[in-house]
Amino acid sequence: MTTFSQVYAALRRKNRGRYALLAGCSFFSVLMITAYACMMRAPTILSVLPEGGDSRKQVTMIFILAVIGCAVFTTYATGLFFRQKSRETGAFLALGATRRQLQSELGKELALISLSSCAAGAILGGPLAWCVWQLFRRFLVDSQEMILSFGPEAYLLSIAFSAYVVVMLFLLGSRSVRRTNIIDIVQESHTSEPIREVKRWYGPVGIIMVAVGALAGYLMPSFFIRILCWYPPSVVDAVFYLPALIGMYMMLLHTVVNGWRKRHKYRDIIATSMMKFQGRQTVRNMLVMTLLIAGAYFAAFYAPMLSTNSAYSFVSRPVDFEYHCRNDQDLPMQSEVESLASEYGVDLTSWAEVGAATLGGDGTVSIEQDNGAMGTTYTTEYREVASGATFFSESAWNTLTGQSVDIVPGTCANVLDDEGGSSYLSGGDVTLVTNMVTGESLAVTPAEPLRYTMLLGYYVLDDADYNAITAGLTDLWQETWVFFNVADVDASYPFAKALFNEIVDRSGDEVMQLDAYDLVAKMLSGEAGKTYDFDRENVADYGFPVIQREDRDSTEFRNYWLYMPQFRVLDQNDFVTTMAVFLMLFIFIALICFAAVIVIAFTRCMTIALTNARVYDDLRHLGAPRSYLFRSVKGQVSKVFLVPAIVGTLIIAAFYTMIMYFNDNRFTPGELAGMGACATVVVALSLLLYGVYRFTRKSVCHSLGI
């Protein structure tokens, strides 16, 4: 070795494990972000996630957590690399090497490591996402909507994250060389990262701050909208979650420094001191793992909650088949349905067919004003005709539901769900009903709400009032509703499918509308000389799907068609296929997040062996028994691995429970069943994480020769 570069290369070969760790962490981070971004921005996914909808917001929120987690993880790995490299850097400087020489050699290394690892992660991220998706299609569920394609926007996100990794590596590398005190450089790997004194009240206060932050973050948006009449930018809503983040940090600080149990002053002093030695890095990694675990569980809860809640709603329906249509449509009625049923060997046991009407109702409308970066404000204005709704007569209601209600003349009852909830989904009380053809109005007093989930959001009038206010309505404003049961509903799927296809085929383009379509609102928009946003011709301009009969088996059609029938056996059997993209997307996100947690935890724990090997070797020579060394390793690994898992699981379980309750200030039977399914998922994944913890602990002990 005659040149400085040769000496530098020899040291690099001797310490190739450090370089491999840095390259591996950079590669994994970019790989995970690229795979996530490819799925998040895939046209396949965007076509079923409503623009501005909760599902898309949840996917974006978890992506932000993943980016933060991978960024902190990569920064940690980089800091550890330069911390361990500090001795050779200081030695070179002491022997007369110039900083320019060191920066030149280090620049070559970092360029090779960063560019190769980031490029490999970005290139393989897309194929990884595609392979996982194909496994879902092969072993879980497949549908026409599951055909995956990627958009170029995903790779822009990947390039942006890769650029962060490259820039961060060079900045930290340059800083490590520019330091002036050679002794500080040499001793850096033996210098602790002290955490200032942590009082014992940090733990309880941290728990309180987590609760306050979760409540504030979830409830403040509703406060802004309902009280201040303001739709703030998303960043404003996110600010109120910061106390929860600070609280988690305080809880983890308390765990690392003090622990949650009183212990003898000198018990486990070695393990505790080694944890404190790199206290800042330890707590940062634990915080990142906690956030990722929370995000992973939040995504993992989507499938069991949706599946269980939907299954409960299907089973609890009092009627096997329901469909309705406008009276200007030629849909199959009783004789045709009975004939079709006989072809499939299905016996009808009951049939109820009634009329209904679309009428205008009074209420308040929101008049919005765009304030640019400050969001949108709105004012409310009462109008005698605010929107439209479907109205039944009391006799029609009793025929459909089998109930015996008697609506007092001059009153109007709105319909809630079977438990008397979901008022936020109903139209609310009306006091003035208007015939949109004749212009006649009827003043009514709100009556006690009725309960029937299948007719949630509709209204019921006294027979005489109904006949008076609907006089003169054309077929455009009238509907026919059909309820019927069959003898063996489980065997009626072929018939249900055939009837569904017949209904779709015979429905005109004019009724191929989103469920947000309101005939009254369209009429009012036309009278005002405006276009109606939710009309079939306009919805695509606002990012909403266009309902096409050719897409009758798609998620958009089944979920958002205004006249979508409710066939129990069809909904049960086609649920997984219909919701396949939603279900598989959130399962994919959970897999990505849990994979990141496992890799981060394993890497952090293995650095215990790398960083503290000499300490454990000294303890062994001082006569420390094998059991003591094992207990010391267990104390460190358990805090790094299990504490974030426990804290993240408990926090997301409490937060998810809070969300379920505040949806309607109660727990519905379907939600309780879904939460039970989520608890099963928590148990299964907790056992998986515990198995990984045991494997990691064994690997650390093996590396230390314990």
Side-chain angles (χ1 to χ4, degrees):
M1 293 184 290
T2 59
T3 65
F4 180 75
S5 296
Q6 290 176 331
V7 175
Y8 206 92
L11 286 174
R12 182 169 57 246
R13 288 191 295 271
K14 180 177 177 60
N15 298 305
R16 57 181 176 271
R18 299 175 185 172
Y19 292 88
L21 178 63
L22 177 61
C25 292
S26 302
F27 165 76
F28 174 79
S29 296
V30 176
L31 179 74
M32 292 294 101
I33 296 302
T34 303
Y36 196 133
C38 284
M39 291 301 302
M40 183 177 70
R41 301 304 303 173
T44 304
I45 304 302
L46 296 179
S47 65
V48 299
L49 294 183
E51 183 73 33
D54 290 341
S55 298
R56 187 174 291 198
K57 290 179 180 177
Q58 291 168 9
V59 171
T60 304
M61 178 194 71
I62 299 173
F63 176 73
I64 293 172
L65 291 180
V67 169
I68 294 173
C70 289
V72 173
F73 171 59
T74 310
T75 304
Y76 157 73
T78 305
L80 181 65
F81 173 80
F82 289 117
R83 185 181 178 88
Q84 294 169 342
K85 192 178 177 64
S86 61
R87 286 180 63 83
E88 65 182 58
T89 300
F92 277 128
L93 290 173
L95 292 173
T98 65
R99 284 181 170 80
R100 182 180 297 274
Q101 286 179 301
L102 289 173
Q103 285 181 335
S104 175
E105 294 298 327
L106 185 60
K108 296 176 185 177
E109 291 180 342
L110 295 181
L112 178 63
I113 292 173
S114 61
L115 296 178
S116 61
S117 60
C118 291
I123 292 172
L124 296 177
L128 172 65
W130 188 86
C131 290
V132 173
W133 195 256
Q134 298 312 309
L135 290 175
F136 287 164
R137 296 183 65 187
R138 177 67 178 84
F139 296 104
L140 296 180
V141 61
D142 194 12
S143 69
Q144 187 65 27
E145 290 183 297
M146 291 281 287
I147 298 175
L148 186 63
S149 61
F150 294 140
E153 298 90 347
Y155 290 98
L156 294 178
L157 295 172
S158 174
I159 291 172
F161 185 80
S162 298
Y164 161 78
V165 173
V166 173
V167 171
M168 181 267 300
L169 280 170
F170 276 91
L171 285 178
L172 293 183
S174 177
R175 189 185 69 174
S176 70
V177 175
R178 285 201 312 268
R179 298 174 65 181
T180 57
N181 193 321
I182 295 178
I183 300 300
D184 289 343
I185 297 175
V186 172
Q187 295 298 323
E188 182 181 3
S189 61
H190 297 292
T191 304
S192 67
E193 296 179 331
I195 301 176
R196 63 186 180 86
E197 184 181 4
V198 177
K199 304 292 185 181
R200 298 204 67 88
W201 52 261
Y202 264 51
V205 171
I207 294 174
I208 294 173
M209 291 188 67
V210 168
V212 170
L215 285 169
Y218 186 75
L219 297 178
M220 286 306 294
S222 298
F223 172 80
F224 290 142
I225 295 171
R226 297 177 183 177
I227 306 301
L228 301 183
C229 299
W230 176 41
Y231 295 99
S234 299
V235 66
V236 175
D237 298 339
V239 167
F240 289 93
Y241 283 107
L242 288 179
L245 188 64
I246 296 171
M248 278 191 281
Y249 189 77
M250 293 176 66
M251 290 169 60
L252 296 173
L253 272 179
H254 177 75
T255 301
V256 170
V257 177
N258 300 323
W260 291 90
R261 293 180 298 176
K262 290 186 177 181
R263 60 192 177 201
H264 191 275
K265 182 178 181 180
Y266 300 109
R267 179 176 174 81
D268 297 326
I269 189 172
I270 300 296
T272 303
S273 298
M274 284 191 286
M275 288 289 290
K276 292 180 180 179
F277 185 76
Q278 292 184 334
R280 295 176 191 169
Q281 292 184 11
T282 300
V283 175
R284 288 170 192 161
N285 276 269
M286 292 170 69
L287 180 61
V288 167
M289 289 173 58
T290 302
L291 292 174
L292 285 175
I293 287 172
Y297 271 124
F298 194 85
F301 289 165
Y302 186 90
M305 177 59 74
L306 180 62
S307 302
T308 307
N309 207 357
S310 299
Y312 178 85
S313 68
F314 300 151
V315 171
S316 61
R317 288 179 187 171
V319 179
D320 295 334
F321 290 79
E322 175 277 321
Y323 69 94
H324 60 287
C325 63
R326 261 179 17 194
N327 284 2
D328 60 351
Q329 303 296 303
D330 180 27
L331 263 61
M333 290 300 151
Q334 185 170 3
S335 60
E336 292 184 76
V337 172
E338 289 176 343
S339 176
L340 183 64
S342 65
E343 294 180 16
Y344 288 91
V346 175
D347 296 325
L348 274 63
T349 59
S350 67
W351 180 276
E353 180 180 327
V354 302
T358 300
L359 302 171
D362 67 334
T364 58
V365 296
S366 299
I367 303 173
E368 297 182 353
Q369 179 179 354
D370 187 1
N371 296 307
M374 292 303 296
T376 303
T377 56
Y378 71 93
T379 57
T380 57
E381 179 180 298
Y382 173 81
R383 293 181 182 174
E384 292 185 348
V385 180
S387 61
T390 300
F391 288 76
F392 294 94
S393 66
E394 60 183 338
S395 58
W397 171 269
N398 292 335
T399 299
L400 282 182
T401 65
Q403 299 176 5
S404 300
V405 303
D406 183 15
I407 303 297
V408 177
T411 64
C412 177
N414 70 323
V415 183
L416 304 179
D417 64 20
D418 292 337
E419 288 80 33
S422 300
S423 57
Y424 65 100
L425 294 175
S426 75
D429 294 329
V430 296
T431 59
L432 188 68
V433 182
T434 302
N435 183 314
M436 302 305 294
V437 175
T438 65
E440 294 294 323
S441 297
L442 173 68
V444 294
T445 302
E448 182 180 355
L450 303 176
R451 299 184 178 190
Y452 205 83
T453 300
M454 292 183 71
L455 299 175
L456 173 65
Y458 300 132
Y459 295 89
V460 182
L461 294 169
D462 170 71
D463 282 351
D465 290 340
Y466 179 86
N467 292 332
I469 195 61
T470 59
L473 284 178
T474 62
D475 286 346
L476 177 66
W477 299 89
Q478 296 187 77
E479 295 180 345
T480 297
W481 284 70
V482 174
F483 281 13
F484 68 92
N485 293 303
V486 298
D488 186 0
V489 66
D490 293 334
S492 64
Y493 178 79
F495 161 70
K497 188 73 172 180
L499 179 58
F500 170 68
N501 288 330
E502 186 73 11
I503 290 172
V504 174
D505 290 336
R506 290 168 60 172
S507 296
D509 289 344
E510 63 273 14
V511 296
M512 289 292 158
Q513 305 285 359
L514 283 174
D515 55 2
Y517 179 83
D518 183 346
L519 193 58
V520 172
K522 179 182 179 181
M523 180 178 177
L524 295 175
S525 296
E527 292 175 349
K530 301 178 181 178
T531 59
Y532 180 52
D533 296 347
F534 291 105
D535 207 351
R536 189 166 187 264
E537 291 76 20
N538 304 321
V539 291
D541 296 335
Y542 298 93
F544 297 106
V546 178
I547 302 299
Q548 306 275 7
R549 65 173 54 82
E550 295 79 11
D551 300 328
R552 66 191 65 190
D553 293 325
S554 68
T555 302
E556 291 93 341
F557 194 98
R558 295 290 183 95
N559 286 340
Y560 305 124
W561 184 35
L562 180 62
Y563 291 96
M564 181 65 200
Q566 297 183 74
F567 295 170
R568 190 203 311 275
V569 67
L570 184 72
D571 294 339
Q572 286 176 330
N573 289 13
D574 290 355
F575 171 77
V576 174
T577 303
T578 301
M579 302 301 296
V581 175
F582 282 97
L583 298 174
M584 296 305 105
L585 171 63
F586 281 93
I587 291 175
F588 176 87
I589 292 172
L591 285 176
I592 291 293
C593 290
F594 275 117
V597 167
I598 290 172
V599 171
I600 292 173
F602 182 82
T603 303
R604 181 70 184 94
C605 291
M606 288 305 295
T607 57
I608 293 175
L610 188 64
T611 305
N612 300 320
R614 293 180 61 183
V615 176
Y616 280 101
D617 189 57
D618 290 342
L619 289 172
R620 188 182 295 108
H621 284 88
L622 290 172
R626 186 184 185 90
S627 59
Y628 179 83
L629 298 177
F630 175 79
R631 189 169 75 244
S632 177
V633 171
K634 180 181 177 182
Q636 294 182 76
V637 174
S638 63
K639 283 186 177 180
V640 171
F641 213 116
L642 296 183
V643 170
I646 294 172
V647 173
T649 302
L650 292 177
I651 287 176
I652 197 60
F655 182 69
Y656 206 78
T657 302
M658 181 191 73
I659 291 176
M660 291 297 103
Y661 179 78
F662 282 123
N663 274 344
D664 201 16
N665 295 323
R666 59 173 183 151
F667 293 117
T668 65
E671 288 172 344
L672 291 175
M675 290 166 64
C678 291
T680 303
V681 171
V682 169
V683 171
L685 292 177
S686 296
L687 290 175
L688 172 64
L689 289 175
Y690 183 74
V692 176
Y693 155 72
R694 293 286 298 263
F695 172 79
T696 304
R697 189 182 68 189
K698 182 178 180 180
S699 299
V700 173
C701 290
H702 178 74
S703 298
L704 294 172
I706 300 175

